[in-house]
Every structure is written in structure tokens, then in C-alpha cells.
Amino acid sequence: SDVELLGRRWDAALARAEEGRRDAAARGDREAVARAHTSAGRARLALGQDEAARRDLEQAVEVIEELRATLAGPGELRQLFLENKLDPYRLLSTLCLGHGRAEEALAWSERSRARLLSDMLAAGRVDLDAALTDDERAQQDELRRELAQAGREARSEAPGPDDRARRERLEAARRRHAAFLAALYARHPELQLRRSDLPAPALADLAPLLPAGQALLEYLWD
């Protein structure tokens, strides 16, 4: 599909991307599913199918963030995983700009920067868990192991009758981990900032910080 894109053969690129997506989904290769959605989004943008392109690119982002959330290990691993998967964010930002939706464009741009910056900062940290009690640290380690195991099973095992059960186990592990983090940050609010685990700012958050008559200029590589 990418070769067809380089040759500006948009219909052929789209057909190859759809073929690749079906094959990757059948094999349970979620990372390849995200790449196929990104390639399909590029082809649809070139064909003027903006709404369908948006759906493909948003699905690519959904899969990428799902995989990122299940990665176990140090921040370097998440940083390396994400740094070559920012294209759908950029394409969505460019698409929104083309339709005059500046606030959405900024949101997609900031979302990609926030994810990557968070992982870069986490990669350089030493002991961010010093504030945790022994019980909190043990519970965190157990939930991380559970999430990582469920993620590996959902990504790597061959398709079969238990596909739905594997996805449900992954989703349940995500919910338990998210609930633990919400309670943890309520008890240790400084930890959320130190871990850089904060939501990307929206335009409504940024506007009050600007003095009257001034603007914020942000560059988006495309």
C-alpha cells in the first residue's frame, strides 16, 4: 500500500491497505491493523474521501493508544513504540485544518505531543514510586503484570473462538488499572504531575493564559 502511495496510485493503495487490514485482523496483529488504517486514511485523503479518511485515521489512533497502554517496561519502550506512529495524529490535525476546524486540529496535535512527551519524561525518571506504600506498590506491580499479560494475549495469539474472551480480559484489566490510578492520584496528587500522566490541554484551557491581543503559535510538521 505504501509503495502504491508513493506512486500516487490512490485506488490501488486503498485496496492494498484494506487487504492488509483484513489479513492483520485475522492474524491478531493489532500494530499492523493500525498501519493499514493509516495507509487507507492517506489514500482516502488523496481521493477526496475526507469523512472516510477521518474514520480510518481515528481507528488507527485508537489501536495505537490501546497498544501503548498495554506495554510493560520502562518509559524508553513506550517512547520508541510511539515515535514512529504519529502520522495519523498529524494527518487528522491537517484534515481538521483543511475544514476550518482549528480547535480540533490543535487537539490532535497536542494529543500526539502529550503522549510522546509523557513517555520521554518517564524514560528519564528514577524512582517515581518512592511515595507509594508497600501495599500500593505491590498492587500496582500486580495490575501492570495483569495488563501486560492480557495485552500480549490479545495481540499475539492466533485468532480463535476465544477472541472475544481475550478482548474482554484486556478491557477488564484496563478498567482495574484505570480505577487504581484514579484512587492513587487522589491520595498522591503530586504523583500524577511527576509521572507526566496528565491530559493534553484543550483550547479552552490555553486561551485564559494568553494576554489580550496575543496569540499562541504552534508548528505542526507535515
Side-chain angles (χ1 to χ4, degrees):
S1 177
D2 289 342
V3 169
E4 300 291 3
L5 286 170
L6 288 172
R8 303 175 68 84
R9 295 180 290 272
W10 314 124
D11 288 313
L14 180 57
R16 288 291 190 182
E18 287 297 306
E19 180 184 350
R21 182 190 58 75
R22 289 191 296 270
D23 177 66
R27 290 184 289 107
D29 187 343
R30 299 288 284 157
E31 193 167 338
V33 168
R35 291 200 304 270
H37 275 303
T38 302
S39 295
R42 287 186 183 280
R44 292 188 190 279
L45 284 174
L47 291 167
Q49 302 172 6
D50 287 4
E51 185 59 27
R54 180 188 61 78
R55 289 195 296 270
D56 266 314
L57 295 170
E58 286 182 352
Q59 288 178 44
V61 168
E62 181 180 338
V63 173
I64 288 167
E65 296 195 348
E66 169 192 303
L67 294 176
R68 174 182 175 271
T70 61
L71 287 176
E76 291 95 332
L77 181 62
R78 287 168 52 173
Q79 181 186 347
L80 290 170
F81 170 79
L82 190 60
E83 66 182 7
N84 67 344
K85 297 178 177 66
L86 298 179
D87 280 353
Y89 296 89
R90 294 178 180 132
L91 290 167
L92 281 163
S93 189
T94 303
L95 175 60
C96 291
L97 280 176
H99 286 268
R101 301 198 299 269
E103 185 168 352
E104 287 182 59
L106 179 65
W108 283 113
S109 176
E110 283 300 302
R111 186 165 166 179
S112 67
R113 292 170 192 265
R115 299 293 187 271
L116 189 57
L117 181 60
S118 172
D119 293 343
M120 289 170 65
L121 291 172
R125 295 293 165 80
V126 277
D127 184 13
L128 291 182
D129 297 340
L132 304 186
T133 66
D134 290 342
D135 287 344
E136 288 171 338
R137 193 175 293 109
Q139 187 179 1
Q140 175 178 257
D141 291 344
E142 176 60 30
L143 287 169
R144 283 175 173 173
R145 283 194 295 270
E146 180 188 18
L147 185 58
Q149 178 62 28
R152 283 193 295 270
E153 291 176 359
R155 291 196 302 271
S156 62
E157 292 190 17
D162 61 341
D163 277 356
R164 181 174 179 179
R166 289 201 300 263
R167 290 195 299 270
E168 288 176 348
R169 284 197 296 272
L170 176 57
E171 186 57 35
R174 282 201 199 104
R175 287 196 298 269
R176 285 191 288 272
H177 187 251
F180 169 77
L181 287 180
L184 184 69
Y185 292 153
R187 292 192 297 270
H188 306 282
E190 78 287 352
L191 190 60
Q192 187 173 24
L193 181 61
R194 291 173 60 205
R195 287 182 171 184
S196 306
D197 194 8
L198 297 167
L203 189 58
D205 301 319
L206 298 174
L209 304 177
L210 295 175
Q214 295 193 16
L216 172 69
L217 176 63
E218 174 168 306
Y219 289 93
L220 173 65
W221 177 85
D222 181 25

